Each structure stands twice: as C-alpha cells, then as structure tokens.
Amino acid sequence: MDPNDVEELIESELEDAEATVTHARDEHDEDHLAATVVSPAFEGLPLVQQHQQVYDALDDHMTTDIHALELSTYTPTEYEE
C-alpha cells in the first residue's frame, strides 16, 4: 500500500492527526510500513489505546494491504518534547 494513502486514511479518521508513513525496510517492500502519528486524540490514553485508534482508522487494510506496521504515536505536546 502506498505510504501517502496510509497517511490520508489515518489523517481522515483521527482528530487533527498528522501522520508520516514510510516503508519500514525499503521502497520495494510495500507491505511493511513505519508510521509516526501525532494527534490530540491521544491525550490521556495509554499507548495500547493510541495504537488501537490508528489500527481502527486503517480498518481492513491492516489485514489485506499492510503486513506489518511499526507505529509511534504522540500527543502534540509529547512530540514537541
């Protein structure tokens, strides 16, 4: 799956999210991705719930188009630090 499409999915589903998605290994390994997601929707949530929100935003793509996702999530304040 194209990283730009994954960014758009995440940003369209999570409140004020900014997502940066790249190929985790190299550009020819399209189903292993790495994502950094910053959103105020993560405020007060444990890391597991933050990641679950991203997985929910990606919906069926996590089982059909994306084999693995290295995920880093931050609130805006955490990201600035």
Side-chain angles (χ1 to χ4, degrees):
M1 189 166 186
D2 183 77
N4 292 323
D5 294 336
V6 176
E7 287 177 4
E8 288 178 21
L9 277 170
I10 294 169
E11 290 174 351
S12 69
E13 294 294 322
L14 287 176
E15 172 192 349
D16 296 326
E18 290 185 32
T20 303
V21 180
T22 60
H23 293 284
R25 297 181 181 172
D26 66 45
E27 64 186 50
H28 302 293
D29 188 3
E30 294 186 9
D31 62 350
H32 288 79
L33 301 174
T36 300
V37 183
V38 181
S39 173
F42 299 146
E43 291 285 347
L45 295 179
L47 189 61
V48 171
Q49 288 181 339
Q50 293 176 18
H51 287 203
Q52 188 60 52
Q53 285 193 359
V54 176
Y55 296 140
D56 289 347
L58 295 172
D59 199 28
D60 289 338
H61 294 285
M62 282 303 302
T63 57
T64 58
D65 302 316
I66 301 169
H67 175 72
L69 180 65
E70 294 176 22
L71 187 55
S72 300
T73 54
Y74 303 94
T75 64
T77 303
E78 290 170 334
Y79 191 71
E80 287 178 13
E81 294 174 354

